Amino acid sequence: MKDKAPEMYEHFFHNTPSADPKELVWAKEKYWASIMNQFDESESNGEVAMRYFKDSIEFDCLTLLDEPENSLSPMFQEELAEDLLHLVKYFNCQFIIATHSPFLLAIPGAKIYNMDNTPVDVCHFNELESVKAYKRLFARMD
């Protein structure tokens, strides 16, 4: 953000007063306009999201993802799960992910905390209600 909108960065992170609140609004609009200009109108939301993940996740760091499966097709969820697994195995990445996606929950070696239980406990992905709902759906289709 510092490189994209320095006026906002300085104001919010260093508490420097803005000479005019309109300048801050302009900086914010300039920042969002620069972000929006990066997107190709022919791309779907899922394609944009996948590109964002591939461009934004850095090596050798901890990344928090909140429901990254939103707007991703099952194929993209599967691809994201594979990408995350490779980042963990080969690039020393760690992820904390809030998700209901069976593709992400089934990543080999993932430690899954069931936040619906009190107290919160570690479980296998097959024990989660969201995964059980998918199983019921596919069982009805047989």
Side-chain angles (χ1 to χ4, degrees):
M1 181 170 150
K2 185 175 183 178
D3 296 334
K4 304 281 186 197
E7 301 93 343
M8 284 182 64
Y9 183 89
E10 290 300 320
H11 177 76
F12 288 112
F13 294 102
H14 297 290
N15 295 320
T16 56
S18 177
D20 181 358
K22 290 179 184 175
E23 288 179 20
L24 191 59
V25 171
W26 175 83
K28 181 178 178 184
E29 289 171 354
K30 180 179 169 188
Y31 170 70
W32 286 114
S34 70
I35 294 297
M36 295 308 294
N37 287 334
Q38 296 175 23
F39 299 125
D40 182 348
E41 291 179 12
S42 66
E43 290 181 311
S44 70
N45 287 344
E47 291 167 323
V48 170
M50 287 301 292
R51 186 162 44 85
Y52 175 79
F53 292 133
K54 290 176 190 254
D55 291 347
S56 299
I57 295 175
E58 297 184 17
F59 300 160
D60 194 28
C61 70
L62 172 66
T63 302
L64 309 177
L65 298 172
D66 184 19
E67 297 186 350
E69 71 274 11
N70 286 347
S71 80
L72 295 182
S73 68
M75 288 183 354
F76 279 144
Q77 289 181 50
E78 195 171 38
E79 182 180 332
L80 179 61
E82 190 69 26
D83 290 347
L84 295 176
L85 180 60
H86 285 117
L87 287 164
V88 168
K89 280 177 95 172
Y90 304 115
F91 298 101
N92 197 35
C93 294
Q94 294 182 2
F95 296 93
I96 297 174
I97 306 171
T99 186
H100 296 98
S101 168
F103 296 99
L104 299 178
L105 291 165
I107 293 174
K111 190 170 190 177
I112 300 170
Y113 292 89
N114 187 345
M115 304 300 283
D116 292 330
N117 288 354
T118 304
V120 171
D121 61 344
V122 176
C123 69
H124 188 268
F125 77 97
N126 282 326
E127 300 171 25
L128 295 168
E129 287 304 315
S130 59
V131 174
K132 289 178 183 178
Y134 281 103
K135 286 182 177 181
R136 288 190 300 270
L137 170 68
F138 292 126
R140 284 195 309 261
M141 298 175 87
D142 284 340

